[in-house]
Each structure stands twice: as C-alpha cells, then as structure tokens.
Amino acid sequence: MKLSSSVFALLCLICEIVSIALFLRGFFPVPVKSSFSDKSKETDFPAEPQTGSGPNSSKAPVPLFKRVVIVLIDALREDFVFGSDGRRFMPYTRHVVERGSSHSFIAKARPPTVTMPRIKALTTGSVPGFIDVVMNLNSPALLEDNLIWQAKSAGKRIIFYGDDTWVRLFPKHFMEHDGTTSFFVSDYTEVDNNVTRHLDGTLKREDWDILILHYLGLDHIGHISGPHGSLIGPKLMEMDDIIKKIHASLISKESEETLPNLLVLCGDHGMSETGSHGGSSEPEINTPLVLISPTFRRKAGFEEPGILEQVDLTPTLALGLGLPISKNSVGHLIPAVFEELSLREQLRLLQINGHQLSHLLQDSNPTFHKEDGYEQFRVAEKSHGSWMKLYVDGNTSEVLSNMGKKVLKQYLEALKAMSSALSKQLGKYDMYSMIMGMIFILQVLFLLLLAMPEALSREAVVDIPLASSLLSLPFYLLCLFGSALHVLVCTSAGGPCYLCSLPWVLVFTIIVLSSAFTCALVSMVVRRMPTSNKTPTKGSDWTLSELDALLLIGTVGHTLSLASSSFIEEEHQTWYFLLNTLCLAVFQDVCRKYFREQRHRDEEEDEGPLLPTGAEEGPSFSPAVELGMSPGSEKWLALATPLLTLTCCRLLRSLNQTGVQWAHLPDFGHWLNSGDHKAFLSVLAAVSLVLIFLLVQRHCSLVSKIALALGLLGVYSYRAAVGNVLFPWQHSSRAVSKGTVEARFVYVFVLGILFTGVKDLLRSQVMPSAVDSGRLKSRGLWEVYSGVVLLVALLFRAHNLPTLACCLLIQTVMAQFIWKKLHYDAAQTTIMHYWFGQAFFYFQGNSNNIGTVDISVGFVGLESYVEAPAIFLTALSTYAGPLLWACHLLCFLSSQRDRAVMGLGHGSYCFALLRSIPAAFYVVLVTSLRYHLFIWSVFSPKLLYEAMHTLINTAVCLFFTFMDQERSARP
C-alpha cells in the first residue's frame, strides 16, 4: 500500500497518540485504597486492650471539639504567615501564633500541588494520583471514604462557602453552600467577597457544626502578579481581618459547660516565585497550618513551627470530632493536639490510628509483615495491653507512668513508619498496559526509521507492505500468540489490567494491529537488506549531509540526555546549546558559500521571492533593496544573520529565568514587571508591537494589514487596562480593570484575519491558473499565520512581547538569507524549525514543571470560566513557540513552488520522526525508573509535557497533510 509521506507521518502520529494514552493509563497508578469496605464505620474501631469484648470496648472516642471552622486560603505560602510578610500583613494571626492557645506547623503538600488533588488529600488523608492534575478542570464526585462523608453520616451539619470544586467533589453533603468558580483568575475581589458576605450571619447562628471557607483571591493574584506583587499585601491583610472576626466570634461563644471550638488556618498549596504552582519546589509544597483552640496550652512566644505532612490533618480532625478515620488515610495523628488528654486517652487514639494504618498496609502491600512500622505497631500494641492491665488493676506508681510514656513513644514511631511506607507506595502500576503501549510506540518509531529513504525521496511516497502482511502465515500466528498472551497475563495472580475493562472486540483489534505492525516491520527490514544484485530503488536519492548528521546527532543526543533528572529540570540549557551550535554551523555554511566556493550571484538572483507580498504584483521582497543597500550587500547580511540570531537568543535567555536550579534568581522579566520600571516596559512593549506589525504585514492583503494594525493597538490597550503598561497620558495609580472589552476587540480582528485567510485558501481552489492559485494560497496561509501571531500577542504577557518580536525577526532573516540562499532541503529546514520551536518554548519562561503553565491566559476576554476556550487558550499560549515555527515552516515550504509537494511531505515526515524519537525513548526511560526518587516530581510532569507536545505535533501534521493533499490533487 503506497501512501504519501505526509499521510504516512500523520497515521504514525495518530497511532502514537493512542499508544501514549494507553501507556499513561497504565503508568499513572491507582492510589492506595483499602478493599475491606467502602467506608469506615464506628463498629470498625478496635477494642481497647484488656477491656474485654463488651459493648464499650470498641466505642468511638469522645469528641474534643464542639465546632470546627476551617479557613483554607488557596496558595497560602508558609512565609506569608511565619515569615516577614506575616508580621507585616497578618499581625493578628501572628499574635495568635505567638500565644499559648495555638499550635503552628509547616504542612508539606505532595505534588501535584494543584487544588483538586490537595482537597482530596485534606479530606481523605490519601495521596492522590498524579493524573489528578489533568482532572483538576473537571472534578468528579469523590466516592472514596472521606472526612466530609463521615461527618455527614454522624449527623454533623456542614456549611461551605468558596471554591466550587468542593461542591463537585461532595454533592449533597453540605447543609448550605455557595460555590464560586476557581478558574477565572482575573477575579480576586468578588471571588472572596462572595465568601465573606455570608460570614456575619453564619457566625451568629447555632445550627452548624463544621464551617469550611475556601478563599481563592490570593491564588488568583499570584497567577497574575506573582508572590511579591503589590496586591499580595492588601489581600493578606484582608485574610487577617477575617481570621480576627472568626476567632473573636468563637471566643465569645466559649463556655465551661460545652466543648471548646477549633479554628484551622491552612493552605492547599503554596506558590512559586512566578506565582504558579503544581510542582515540587519548596515554596509550592510548604503551607502553614495553624490550629487555634482554648484547649491548647503551651508556653507563649514564637517558636519555629514543626514540620508534618498535610495528610496528617485528616486523622487528627476525624478523631478530634469523634469520627472514624477514612479507610485510605495515610496520615498519622498530630500529637500536640491531644497532649492535654489523659495518657489512657492518648494511647487509645494512637491505637485507633495504628489499627487503621496497619489494615491499609496489609491490604496494599503483600509483604506488609516485613515493614518495620508494622512490627513496631504490633510490639506497641502488646505493650499497650500490658500497661492497660496494670492500669485497670489500679496501679498508680511512677513505673506505670514511665511505661505509658514509653508505649506512647513506640506508637508514634510505628505510626510515622507506616505512614511513610504508605506514602511512598503511591499505587500499583498496570505494567501490562504500560508494556503494550511502549511496544506500539517503538513499533511506530521503527516504522518511521525504516521508511526514511522512501519518505524523503523525490516522489515522497512510502510503500507499506500491509496487504502482504495481512495474508501471511506469521500474521495469524502472531494474532493467536497475542490473544493467548493476553489471556495468560490477565488470568495470572497479578489481576486484571486496564485492557480487561475494554470490550473484547476492541482488545482483539489492538492485538491484530500490533501483529500487522510487526509483520510490516519485518517485511520492510527484509526489503532494506542489501543484496549483491539489487539495483537502487527509484526515487531513494536522499543522502546524509554534514548538516543533516549534525542535526540528527544533536536531536538524538538531547534525547539521551533526558535519562538524568537534572537534565530534565534544566532541559532548556541543552536546547540553548544546540541552537548556538546550529548558528555556528550555519555561519560556516555561509562562509563556505560566499568565500570558499565563490558561487555566482546570478544563480541566486534568478530565484523567485521567498514570501509573497500583499498583492503579488510588485517586485519580490529583498531586505537589502528595502534598506537602500546594493544587492551585493546581501552577502554581508547573510553573514550577519547567524550572529544576529545568536545575539537575540542570548538576550531572550536573560528575559525569563527557567528550570529549577536558578529559577529563584531574578531575571530581566522580574525587573520589567516591577512597578518602578512600568514606563520602560511600556516603551519596550510598544516597540515590540510595532516591529511585529512591520514583520508580518508585508505578507497580507490591505484589509488584513489594517485589521492587524488595529488588533495590535488593541493588544496594547488590553495590557494598559489590566495595569501592565501605561499610555502616555495615563497615571500609574489608575484603577486596574479586567480588560474584557479590549480583549474582545482584539478577538474580533483575529477572527477577521483568519476569515480573510481561509477565504483566500478557498478561492485558490477555483482559480483556473495554477500560478495564480499558488500565489493566492500562499497569501492565504500567511494571513492565517498573521491571525495566529495577533492572538499570541494578546495572550503573551507584556514582558514577553519582545520574545514574539525576536521570533518573527529571526524567522524573516533566516528565511531570506539562509534557508533560501543556501538551498537547504525541506528535511534540513524542518529540523531547524523544530529546534528553534523547542528553544522558544523555553524562551517564553516554560519548563518541564507544571507550575510554569500560565493558566491566567485562559481567561483573557472572558467574564466567567468557560472550559473549552480556557483550555484552548492556555495550550496555545504554552506551546506558542513550537506552533509559530511550525506554521512558518508550512508557509515557507508552500512558497517553494518548484518542490512544494515534496517539501510538505518531507516536512510532515520529519516532524513525526523528531517527535517519535524522544517519545519512544522517554516511555522506556520512565518504565525503567518508575521507582526512582523523583518519579513524581520530575519524570511524571515531563511525561505529560511529552504527551501534550505529541498531540500538538499531530495537529500540525494534520494541517500539513491537508495542504499536501490539495497540492497533490492539482494537475
């Protein structure tokens, strides 16, 4: 079966996407869960040692608190309370912390540090799976045993105000609730006012037991301006006033006849130095936990807060309210909360917690008896029994007290050990699904490599021996073997896999496709084997040049470097190095062309224009002529192009500090975003927008030029409206708005330019002349590209507009003086575009840490959260660099009229190969390193980035294939 290179590449990428999805389903483990019962019940409490088997032996502990108020401030970093910011902006909270009626801790949140997994951790006590970060935008109802369900089942009346993620996780659990969307990050006032407006009335009422308040404004401010922005201080003071109001109300209702109340101040996660979160850096995982109650008595004065796990709050609150601990909780009690109880009561609570952890350990670990914590708990339980025997007999000696303290210490050590063991065992991998996905990905890669000579030939056609493979005996034997293997694996002791939950027809289809892939690969290998009398294949004329070798070695070398966690965290350094090497290699080629080989200029001047002008009637674009320079000076412009590229790249490296090692250091972007330099940022943004217009407009029609100019003016107006830049007549004290009208103004011109470009593409289909059709189609492509550039300019933050301008400048000069003049083929040009796209991904400030994803761009021009546009805009902004370079490649290859069909096919194939090499290598890597210490903090986020990047490349190749098929269909 013969396929064009573009169609072949697209099909390979589609198969790879499906394979990666299967691998991800097996790799991201199911969190540790108990299978004894769905929910804990009061009858599950263990009997107290030496008290017999009577009805009171396993009764629930007595509640310690009458009411609990949980104030969860989203993205509250520990230094916002315990650091210098806390002393400045939260004076009342610091005063309470320094009094003796509170306990303060630094609660460490496990990655992923995003809201929905953190809420799960706080209510279930379990460590959510990393894949929950993907589900954060659409939180399903939580069916797992949790504190909220236990409280409702015990008759507790719960009121909630704040992030509507709680309402989606716990439907019908709250007596009263008012949810607010957590994703509209441009709102940091109403989102908190909607919570506070209920506060006065609720605190006066007596008909509730648990009040949960989830404030979102601090998190939204962090996403917009970072942790050191001017809005952080006022927001912290607002939160401090709320803590003061709640605490005063609780104190006024205290009485000796009732149990004391408890006020809990905590954060779900912190925020990085850029204001984002999701990763595992210290500012993201360190959150404050302040427990305030009159039952606490300690020495007054500020003490360094202790360190504990965030999940430890769940069993502490459960037993503090007299509730069973959630079945899947991996946390252990906070001893300081119960230190005022009698020794017997403390030992009883620790026994209950240990009983729950030991049962969870038994259910999740076949070798539980080898765990130190499990043995320590058994020893402590026996010692507890001995102590209880003496206690029941009425022994009151000092020996009994010392023995009880020793048992208490044994329990605490056992609980910490079991909790640590369970936290490390995040879940069970579905190895069968992982291996199946990995095999499919490797098959796709080998198929792409074997098809290279044909895919890069002049005909750009790949002959896949699929028909002969389907009719061969090995194919049927492989299908039979695969089916038998599937049944064998899924009936073994390992239990069913993900594939077992799929319809058997779909599973058999997967086995058939895998068998067909294998047979096709073997056939292609046999066909490629050299024989003594074999003649060269027609069209297989692609050879490996020096530059091709450099580009391929660089790509493979970068892929191999990802075996180290440090290389993943600092991957941008590798791409910066490869880009510098590329510029030096291009500079060498330019010198060889103009000085060593002394080629004739006439050969260069006979070529057509690289990029069409607005109406295609005028002369071809020549920078030298437009600058008033002689045509011969283009040689010097060509020599200066690699040096100019190196200079731009070096400046962009200083704009956004990324990675992990040096991400905390200030960069030029921080300097620009400070309030003292807003005027300079305004000038820089205006100059960048003017340069963007000059570089893009020459490819568009007159109507599109006007729309582009007005759209870029709207971009500046939007940034001025939200307070990033200034108009000359505007004062910096002007009130900041959401800029919704300005952003929608830009959207109108984006849609107008895209409509004009699509109209030109459709008109080109009915043009009688192939030349006229090619010109109109080329202009249509560039108009579509201009619309994408305008949209990216709107989404980019003001300090990143120079990044976009430099991207367009490098594209222009490289296209005019390098790719065209040096006659680079489509494969070489594609690899260069891919390298530049990867480098500009990091120039934007991105990294392999989820915390660098700027989710605020998903709400530009929106009054409320709308899921589909938010996801689209966030993905477009994150991958703007690779997308812009891919779109530029499509326009460039389409303008090469003498080899347009071949060029588009070659470009599409190279994109598929360049994406398949790191994807295949990386799935093998994470499979072998699945028990690595940094598997969740470093390797898993990178795996999600690789999957998303593959999906983006598939969409790019789809557009390549569409354009390639249109050109191939034209005679």
Side-chain angles (χ1 to χ4, degrees), residues 256-321:
E256 295 183 359
E257 292 79 16
T258 61
L259 293 173
N261 299 319
L262 174 66
L263 173 59
V264 180
L265 170 63
C266 61
D268 55 345
H269 53 75
M271 68 172 70
S272 66
E273 288 301 309
T274 60
S276 297
H277 54 87
S280 58
S281 65
E282 289 294 320
E284 291 172 89
I285 66 174
N286 287 346
T287 65
L289 175 61
V290 182
L291 306 175
I292 307 170
S293 176
T295 191
F296 303 145
R297 292 178 175 84
R298 64 173 181 83
K299 186 178 179 181
F302 181 74
E303 299 177 356
E304 285 296 324
I307 299 176
L308 48 77
E309 293 290 331
Q310 197 179 58
V311 292
D312 295 343
L313 180 63
T314 306
T316 302
L317 287 179
L319 294 182
L321 291 169

Coordinates of all heavy atoms in Angstrom, one line a residue, residues 256-321:
E256 N -17.8 27.0 79.8 CA -17.3 25.9 80.5 C -18.2 24.6 80.4 O -17.7 23.5 80.6 CB -17.1 26.2 82.0 CG -16.1 27.3 82.3 CD -15.9 27.5 83.8 OE1 -16.5 26.9 84.6 OE2 -15.0 28.4 84.1
E257 N -19.4 24.8 80.1 CA -20.3 23.7 80.0 C -20.2 22.9 78.7 O -20.6 21.8 78.6 CB -21.8 24.2 80.2 CG -22.2 24.7 81.5 CD -21.7 26.1 81.7 OE1 -21.3 26.8 80.7 OE2 -21.6 26.5 82.9
T258 N -19.6 23.5 77.7 CA -19.6 22.9 76.4 C -18.1 22.6 76.0 O -17.2 23.2 76.6 CB -20.2 23.8 75.3 OG1 -19.5 25.0 75.3 CG2 -21.7 24.0 75.6
L259 N -18.0 21.8 75.0 CA -16.6 21.5 74.4 C -16.1 22.8 73.8 O -16.8 23.6 73.2 CB -16.7 20.4 73.4 CG -17.1 19.0 74.0 CD1 -17.3 18.0 72.8 CD2 -16.0 18.5 74.9
P260 N -14.7 22.9 73.7 CA -14.2 24.1 73.0 C -14.3 24.0 71.5 O -14.6 22.9 71.0 CB -12.7 24.0 73.5 CG -12.4 22.6 73.7 CD -13.7 22.0 74.3
N261 N -14.1 25.1 70.9 CA -14.2 25.2 69.4 C -12.8 25.1 68.9 O -11.8 25.4 69.6 CB -14.9 26.5 68.9 CG -16.3 26.5 69.4 OD1 -17.0 25.5 69.4 ND2 -16.7 27.7 69.9
L262 N -12.6 24.8 67.6 CA -11.3 24.7 66.9 C -11.4 25.6 65.6 O -12.3 25.4 64.8 CB -11.0 23.3 66.6 CG -9.7 23.0 65.7 CD1 -8.5 23.5 66.6 CD2 -9.6 21.6 65.3
L263 N -10.4 26.4 65.4 CA -10.2 27.2 64.2 C -8.9 26.7 63.5 O -7.9 26.6 64.1 CB -10.1 28.7 64.5 CG -9.7 29.6 63.4 CD1 -10.7 29.5 62.3 CD2 -9.5 31.1 63.9
V264 N -9.1 26.3 62.3 CA -8.0 25.7 61.5 C -7.7 26.7 60.3 O -8.6 27.0 59.5 CB -8.3 24.3 60.9 CG1 -7.1 23.8 60.1 CG2 -8.7 23.4 62.0
L265 N -6.5 27.2 60.3 CA -6.0 28.0 59.2 C -5.0 27.2 58.4 O -4.0 26.8 58.9 CB -5.4 29.3 59.7 CG -4.6 30.2 58.6 CD1 -5.6 30.7 57.6 CD2 -3.9 31.4 59.3
C266 N -5.2 27.1 57.1 CA -4.3 26.3 56.3 C -4.3 26.7 54.8 O -5.2 27.6 54.5 CB -4.7 24.8 56.4 SG -6.3 24.4 55.8
G267 N -3.4 26.2 54.1 CA -3.4 26.4 52.6 C -3.4 25.1 51.9 O -2.9 24.1 52.5
D268 N -4.0 25.0 50.7 CA -3.9 23.8 50.0 C -2.6 23.5 49.3 O -2.1 22.4 49.2 CB -5.1 23.7 49.0 CG -5.0 24.9 48.0 OD1 -4.3 25.9 48.3 OD2 -5.7 24.8 47.0
H269 N -1.9 24.6 49.0 CA -0.6 24.6 48.3 C 0.0 26.0 48.4 O -0.7 26.9 48.8 CB -0.7 24.1 46.9 CG -1.6 24.9 46.0 ND1 -1.3 26.2 45.6 CD2 -2.9 24.6 45.6 CE1 -2.3 26.6 44.9 NE2 -3.3 25.7 44.9
G270 N 1.3 26.1 48.1 CA 1.9 27.4 48.0 C 1.9 28.0 46.6 O 1.1 27.7 45.8
M271 N 2.9 28.8 46.4 CA 3.1 29.3 45.0 C 4.6 29.5 44.8 O 5.4 29.8 45.7 CB 2.3 30.6 44.8 CG 2.8 31.8 45.6 SD 2.0 33.3 45.1 CE 0.3 33.1 45.8
S272 N 5.0 29.4 43.5 CA 6.4 29.5 43.2 C 6.7 31.0 43.1 O 5.9 31.9 43.3 CB 6.7 28.8 41.8 OG 6.0 29.5 40.8
E273 N 8.0 31.3 42.8 CA 8.4 32.7 42.7 C 7.8 33.4 41.5 O 7.8 34.6 41.4 CB 9.9 32.8 42.6 CG 10.7 32.5 43.9 CD 10.2 33.4 45.0 OE1 10.3 34.6 44.7 OE2 9.9 33.0 46.0
T274 N 7.2 32.6 40.5 CA 6.5 33.2 39.4 C 5.0 33.3 39.7 O 4.3 33.8 38.8 CB 6.8 32.4 38.1 OG1 6.3 31.1 38.3 CG2 8.2 32.4 37.8
G275 N 4.5 32.8 40.8 CA 3.1 32.8 41.1 C 2.3 31.6 40.7 O 1.1 31.6 41.0
S276 N 3.0 30.6 40.1 CA 2.3 29.4 39.7 C 2.4 28.3 40.7 O 3.1 28.5 41.8 CB 2.8 29.0 38.3 OG 2.6 29.9 37.3
H277 N 1.9 27.2 40.4 CA 2.0 26.0 41.4 C 1.7 24.8 40.6 O 1.2 24.8 39.4 CB 1.1 26.2 42.6 CG -0.4 26.4 42.2 ND1 -1.2 25.4 41.9 CD2 -1.1 27.5 42.0 CE1 -2.4 25.9 41.6 NE2 -2.3 27.2 41.7
G278 N 2.0 23.7 41.2 CA 1.8 22.4 40.5 C 3.0 21.5 40.7 O 2.9 20.2 40.6
G279 N 4.2 22.1 40.9 CA 5.4 21.3 41.0 C 5.8 21.0 42.5 O 5.0 20.9 43.4
S280 N 7.1 20.8 42.7 CA 7.6 20.3 44.0 C 8.6 21.2 44.6 O 9.4 20.7 45.5 CB 8.1 18.8 43.8 OG 9.2 18.8 42.9
S281 N 8.7 22.4 44.2 CA 9.6 23.3 44.8 C 9.2 23.7 46.2 O 8.0 23.6 46.6 CB 9.8 24.6 44.0 OG 8.6 25.3 44.0
E282 N 10.1 24.1 47.1 CA 9.8 24.4 48.5 C 8.7 25.4 48.6 O 7.7 25.2 49.4 CB 11.1 24.8 49.2 CG 12.1 23.7 49.4 CD 11.6 22.6 50.4 OE1 10.9 23.0 51.4 OE2 11.8 21.5 50.1
P283 N 8.7 26.5 47.9 CA 7.6 27.5 48.1 C 6.2 26.9 47.6 O 5.2 27.4 48.1 CB 8.0 28.7 47.2 CG 9.5 28.5 47.0 CD 9.7 27.1 47.0
E284 N 6.2 25.9 46.8 CA 5.0 25.3 46.3 C 4.4 24.3 47.3 O 3.2 24.1 47.4 CB 5.1 24.7 45.0 CG 5.4 25.7 43.8 CD 5.7 25.0 42.5 OE1 4.8 24.7 41.8 OE2 6.9 24.8 42.3
I285 N 5.3 23.6 48.0 CA 4.8 22.5 48.9 C 4.7 22.9 50.3 O 4.0 22.2 51.1 CB 5.7 21.2 48.7 CG1 7.1 21.5 49.3 CG2 5.7 20.8 47.3 CD1 8.0 20.3 49.3
N286 N 5.3 23.9 50.8 CA 5.3 24.3 52.2 C 4.1 25.3 52.4 O 4.1 26.4 51.9 CB 6.6 25.0 52.5 CG 7.8 24.1 52.7 OD1 7.6 22.9 52.7 ND2 9.0 24.6 52.7
T287 N 3.2 24.8 53.2 CA 2.0 25.6 53.5 C 1.9 25.7 55.1 O 2.3 24.8 55.8 CB 0.7 24.9 53.0 OG1 0.5 23.6 53.7 CG2 0.8 24.7 51.5
P288 N 1.3 26.8 55.6 CA 1.1 26.9 57.0 C -0.1 26.1 57.5 O -1.1 26.0 56.8 CB 0.9 28.4 57.2 CG 0.3 28.9 55.9 CD 0.8 28.0 54.8
L289 N 0.0 25.6 58.7 CA -1.1 25.0 59.4 C -1.1 25.5 60.8 O -0.2 25.3 61.6 CB -1.0 23.5 59.4 CG -2.0 22.7 60.2 CD1 -3.4 23.0 59.6 CD2 -1.7 21.2 60.2
V290 N -2.2 26.3 61.1 CA -2.3 26.9 62.5 C -3.6 26.4 63.1 O -4.7 26.6 62.5 CB -2.3 28.4 62.4 CG1 -2.4 29.0 63.8 CG2 -1.1 29.0 61.7
L291 N -3.5 25.7 64.2 CA -4.7 25.2 65.0 C -4.9 26.0 66.2 O -4.0 26.2 67.0 CB -4.4 23.7 65.3 CG -4.0 22.8 64.2 CD1 -3.7 21.4 64.7 CD2 -5.2 22.7 63.2
I292 N -6.0 26.7 66.3 CA -6.3 27.6 67.4 C -7.5 27.1 68.2 O -8.6 26.9 67.7 CB -6.6 29.0 66.8 CG1 -5.5 29.5 65.9 CG2 -6.8 30.0 67.9 CD1 -5.8 30.7 65.1
S293 N -7.3 26.9 69.5 CA -8.4 26.5 70.4 C -8.0 26.8 71.8 O -6.8 26.7 72.2 CB -8.6 25.0 70.2 OG -9.6 24.5 71.1
P294 N -8.9 27.1 72.7 CA -8.6 27.3 74.1 C -8.1 26.1 74.9 O -7.6 26.2 75.9 CB -9.9 27.9 74.7 CG -11.0 27.4 73.8 CD -10.3 27.4 72.4
T295 N -8.4 24.9 74.2 CA -7.9 23.7 74.9 C -6.4 23.5 74.8 O -5.8 22.7 75.5 CB -8.6 22.5 74.2 OG1 -8.4 21.3 75.0 CG2 -8.1 22.2 72.8
F296 N -5.7 24.3 73.9 CA -4.3 24.2 73.8 C -3.6 25.1 74.8 O -4.0 26.2 75.0 CB -3.8 24.6 72.4 CG -4.5 23.7 71.3 CD1 -4.8 24.3 70.1 CD2 -4.8 22.4 71.5 CE1 -5.4 23.6 69.0 CE2 -5.4 21.7 70.4 CZ -5.7 22.3 69.2
R297 N -2.6 24.5 75.4 CA -1.9 25.3 76.4 C -0.4 25.0 76.3 O 0.0 23.9 76.5 CB -2.3 25.0 77.9 CG -3.7 25.4 78.2 CD -4.1 25.0 79.6 NE -5.5 25.6 79.9 CZ -6.6 24.9 79.6 NH1 -6.5 23.8 79.0 NH2 -7.7 25.5 80.0
R298 N 0.3 26.0 75.8 CA 1.7 25.9 75.7 C 2.4 27.2 76.1 O 1.7 28.2 76.3 CB 2.1 25.5 74.2 CG 1.8 26.6 73.2 CD 2.3 26.3 71.8 NE 2.0 27.3 70.9 CZ 2.7 28.4 70.7 NH1 3.7 28.7 71.5 NH2 2.3 29.3 69.8
K299 N 3.7 27.2 76.1 CA 4.4 28.4 76.5 C 4.3 29.5 75.5 O 4.4 29.2 74.3 CB 5.9 28.0 76.7 CG 6.7 29.2 77.3 CD 8.2 28.7 77.5 CE 9.0 29.9 78.0 NZ 10.4 29.4 78.2
A300 N 3.9 30.7 75.9 CA 3.7 31.8 75.0 C 5.1 32.2 74.3 O 6.1 32.0 74.9 CB 3.1 33.0 75.7
G301 N 5.0 32.7 73.1 CA 6.2 33.1 72.4 C 6.2 32.4 71.1 O 5.7 31.3 70.9
F302 N 6.9 33.0 70.1 CA 7.0 32.4 68.8 C 8.1 31.3 68.8 O 9.2 31.5 69.2 CB 7.3 33.5 67.8 CG 7.4 32.9 66.3 CD1 6.3 32.6 65.6 CD2 8.7 32.7 65.7 CE1 6.4 32.1 64.4 CE2 8.8 32.2 64.5 CZ 7.6 31.9 63.8
E303 N 7.7 30.2 68.3 CA 8.6 29.0 68.2 C 8.6 28.6 66.7 O 7.6 28.8 66.0 CB 8.1 27.9 69.0 CG 8.0 28.1 70.5 CD 7.5 27.0 71.3 OE1 7.1 26.0 70.7 OE2 7.5 27.0 72.6
E304 N 9.7 28.1 66.3 CA 9.8 27.6 65.0 C 8.8 26.5 64.8 O 8.7 25.5 65.5 CB 11.2 27.0 64.7 CG 12.3 28.1 64.5 CD 12.1 28.9 63.3 OE1 11.6 28.4 62.3 OE2 12.4 30.1 63.4
P305 N 7.9 26.7 63.8 CA 6.8 25.7 63.5 C 7.4 24.3 63.2 O 8.4 24.2 62.5 CB 6.0 26.3 62.4 CG 7.0 27.2 61.7 CD 7.9 27.7 62.7
G306 N 6.8 23.3 63.7 CA 7.1 21.9 63.4 C 6.8 21.6 61.9 O 6.0 22.3 61.3
I307 N 7.3 20.5 61.4 CA 7.1 20.1 60.1 C 6.3 18.7 60.1 O 6.7 17.8 60.8 CB 8.4 19.9 59.3 CG1 9.1 21.3 59.2 CG2 8.1 19.4 57.9 CD1 10.5 21.2 58.6
L308 N 5.2 18.7 59.3 CA 4.5 17.5 59.2 C 3.9 17.4 57.8 O 4.1 18.3 57.0 CB 3.4 17.4 60.2 CG 2.5 18.7 60.4 CD1 1.4 18.8 59.3 CD2 1.8 18.6 61.8
E309 N 3.2 16.3 57.5 CA 2.6 16.1 56.2 C 1.2 16.6 56.2 O 0.5 16.6 57.2 CB 2.6 14.6 55.8 CG 3.9 13.9 55.6 CD 4.6 14.4 54.3 OE1 3.8 14.8 53.4 OE2 5.8 14.5 54.3
Q310 N 0.8 17.1 55.1 CA -0.6 17.7 55.0 C -1.7 16.7 55.3 O -2.7 17.1 55.9 CB -0.8 18.3 53.6 CG -1.9 19.3 53.5 CD -2.0 19.9 52.1 OE1 -2.2 19.2 51.2 NE2 -1.9 21.2 52.0
V311 N -1.4 15.5 55.0 CA -2.4 14.4 55.2 C -2.6 14.1 56.7 O -3.6 13.4 57.0 CB -2.1 13.1 54.4 CG1 -2.2 13.4 52.9 CG2 -0.7 12.7 54.8
D312 N -1.7 14.6 57.5 CA -1.8 14.3 59.0 C -3.0 15.0 59.6 O -3.5 14.7 60.7 CB -0.6 14.7 59.7 CG 0.6 13.9 59.3 OD1 0.4 12.8 58.7 OD2 1.8 14.3 59.5
L313 N -3.5 16.1 58.9 CA -4.6 16.8 59.4 C -5.9 16.0 59.4 O -6.8 16.1 60.3 CB -4.8 18.1 58.6 CG -6.0 19.0 59.0 CD1 -5.8 19.5 60.4 CD2 -6.1 20.2 58.1
T314 N -6.0 15.1 58.4 CA -7.3 14.3 58.3 C -7.6 13.4 59.5 O -8.7 13.5 60.1 CB -7.2 13.5 57.0 OG1 -6.9 14.4 55.9 CG2 -8.6 12.8 56.7
P315 N -6.7 12.5 59.9 CA -7.0 11.7 61.1 C -7.1 12.5 62.3 O -7.9 12.2 63.3 CB -5.8 10.7 61.1 CG -4.7 11.4 60.4 CD -5.4 12.2 59.3
T316 N -6.4 13.6 62.4 CA -6.4 14.5 63.6 C -7.8 15.1 63.7 O -8.4 15.1 64.8 CB -5.4 15.6 63.5 OG1 -4.1 15.0 63.4 CG2 -5.4 16.5 64.8
L317 N -8.4 15.6 62.7 CA -9.7 16.2 62.7 C -10.8 15.1 62.9 O -11.8 15.3 63.7 CB -10.0 17.0 61.4 CG -9.3 18.3 61.2 CD1 -9.7 18.9 59.9 CD2 -9.6 19.3 62.4
A318 N -10.6 14.0 62.3 CA -11.6 12.9 62.5 C -11.7 12.5 63.9 O -12.8 12.4 64.5 CB -11.2 11.7 61.6
L319 N -10.6 12.2 64.6 CA -10.7 11.7 66.0 C -11.0 12.9 66.9 O -11.6 12.7 68.0 CB -9.3 11.1 66.4 CG -9.0 9.8 65.7 CD1 -7.7 9.2 66.2 CD2 -10.1 8.8 65.9
G320 N -10.6 14.1 66.5 CA -11.0 15.3 67.3 C -12.5 15.5 67.3 O -13.0 16.1 68.3
L321 N -13.2 15.1 66.3 CA -14.6 15.2 66.2 C -15.3 13.9 66.6 O -16.6 13.8 66.5 CB -15.1 15.6 64.8 CG -14.7 17.0 64.3 CD1 -14.9 17.2 62.8 CD2 -15.5 18.0 65.1

